[in-house]
């Protein structure tokens, strides 16, 4: 029931003192996985390096340990897979496949632009998962920029609506952990 995590990290590997904008109690509560039973989503917002993927993976690892079928994929790869299936006339099977995961983690929405076709395919998947299974997303773009990310404001809003309706939103505003202890080496920051 484990799948495709870029690394295996847990909440105990996370230094909450370094990122005070995160409510540790909220994350520990999410780790109980009640959100999966309630078919709720989790949306991680924040700039690069603040721990979005780490936290998403930590919850995914916890879910997989409890034998919830879990899958981790970048938004770019997911849309590539859906596009390929569409071109090969097997979109329906592919949508069914991705819809069935109890927990699907879609990483890095907004790092690369998504064309209208990609937005449409992602909408179809999110619509199928809506109120049926849990989805975790990470994104570096605020809601207000999603119209640009998806090249289509209506599709962006439709996707966001369904993600947000039953969700925990975790906005991280802090320094990049990747630059920890190195910031003084950078001249401009
Ligand atoms: P993001 O997805 O927000 O760009 P990541 O979750 O990939 O950032 O974090 C970048 C790296 O720093 C990863 O190796 C992650 O494990 C580590 N990291 C980030 N924040 C913390 C933290 N608060 N405590 C421990 N490690 C962290
Ligand atoms: Mg990341």
């Amino acid at each position: 029931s484990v799948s495709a995590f870029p690394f295996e990290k847990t909440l105990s590997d996370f230094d909450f003192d370094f990122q005070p904008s995160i409510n540790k109690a909220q994350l520990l509560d999410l780790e109980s996985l009640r959100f999966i039973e309630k078919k709720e989503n989790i949306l991680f917002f924040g700039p690069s390096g603040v721990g979005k993927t780490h936290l998403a993976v930590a919850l995914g690892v916890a879910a997989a340990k409890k034998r919830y079928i879990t899958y981790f994929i970048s938004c770019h790869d997911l849309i590539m897979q859906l596009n390929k299936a569409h071109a090969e006339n097997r979109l329906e099977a592919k949508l069914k496949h991705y819809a069935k995961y109890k927990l699907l983690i879609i990483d890095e929405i907004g790092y690369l632009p998504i064309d209208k076709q990609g937005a449409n395919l992602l909408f179809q998947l999110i619509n199928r998962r809506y109120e049926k299974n849990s989805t975790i997303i990470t994104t570096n773009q605020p809601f207000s920029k999603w119209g640009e990310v998806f090249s289509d404001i209506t599709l962006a809003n439709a996707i966001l609506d369904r993600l947000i309706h039953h969700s925990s939103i975790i906005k991280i505003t802090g320094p990049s952990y990747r630059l920890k202890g190195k910031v003084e080496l950078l001249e401009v920051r």
Side-chain angles (χ1 to χ4, degrees), residues 49 52-54 107-108 111 138 178:
K52 302 179 300 296
T53 300
H54 183 135
D107 195 36
E108 298 194 338
Y111 281 83
T138 79
R178 295 192 183 100

